[in-house]
Amino acid sequence: MRYLRRQISNRKAQVAVLTAVSLVPILGAVAFVTDGGVLLDQRRRVQATTDAAALAAACELYRYYPLYRGLDTNGAARNAALEIAHRAGYSSGENCSVEVYIPPRSGLAAGEPGYAEVIIHARQSRAFSAIWSPDRLTVAARSVARARWNALAAGLIVLAPDGRATLSAVGNAQAEVRNAPVYVNSNDPAAGLAVGNGTVTAPDFYFAGSPGYSTTGAAAFRGNIHVNQTPVPDPLAYLPPPDPNALTVRSTRPLRL
């Protein structure tokens, strides 16, 4: 009996030791799963933020591209990127750094105008893994976006955002735009108006309204018609409007067509 009791007691001691030893890898696995999941979630958030911030910067570069040629001369692109990062909860401070480089300082587009680079480093507090180290874990993400402005291949652009008959052909008027489309930005259902025998001919017509055009009699818009289109920007918006008083008067005689 004494031998049997001693053997049972020894087994209990062995179980206690094995349990204590096995707790180390178990805690390590729990720490890995818990902290790893938190880090993956933080990584997705940081990456999504850098993507959005870089795109915001690229939008500003595009807006001023004809004026600054892809450089952030007025700082609008940098401010837009920092604002997006701030709204997402990332601002440069003790536990985070947000870097915006226009043009980028690294990668294939280093030094190239028209590119915006955003880098975010966020320091994440540990959960279970704090038993091994109290230091924060760093999550980093980098995004680069490009903006490039190309002149619109258009034969005619009617920029007025609203109004009826912003493009009109009345009576026997005949107009033809060759090898280039016509854009009408007005959202009026009859922004394009052809009356009587008036016709406008072009390869394509892009109307922002629905249907965006109206015809009567034999009048017509001859070409492929596209409605509900996105209005196009003014390709000369970056130029200051001319001063009529500074223009040379060539003739005061009325022009008759």
Side-chain angles (χ1 to χ4, degrees), residues 147-255:
R148 184 176 182 181
W149 192 90
N150 290 322
L152 184 68
L156 176 64
I157 304 176
V158 184
L159 292 171
D162 51 44
R164 176 183 172 86
T166 56
L167 172 64
S168 62
V170 182
N172 294 317
Q174 306 287 319
E176 182 179 3
V177 180
R178 298 183 178 181
N179 303 321
V182 172
Y183 294 86
V184 181
N185 282 354
S186 174
N187 56 14
D188 193 277
L193 183 64
V195 180
N197 294 317
T199 62
V200 181
T201 304
D204 293 275
F205 292 89
Y206 294 89
F207 294 100
S210 178
Y213 69 100
S214 177
T215 61
T216 62
F221 291 99
R222 296 176 179 171
N224 299 315
I225 304 294
H226 310 272
V227 302
N228 287 321
Q229 300 297 302
T230 301
V232 300
D234 183 356
L236 302 179
Y238 64 97
L239 294 176
D243 181 5
N245 297 322
L247 300 179
T248 303
V249 178
R250 297 296 183 184
S251 174
T252 58
R253 297 177 57 186
L255 180 63

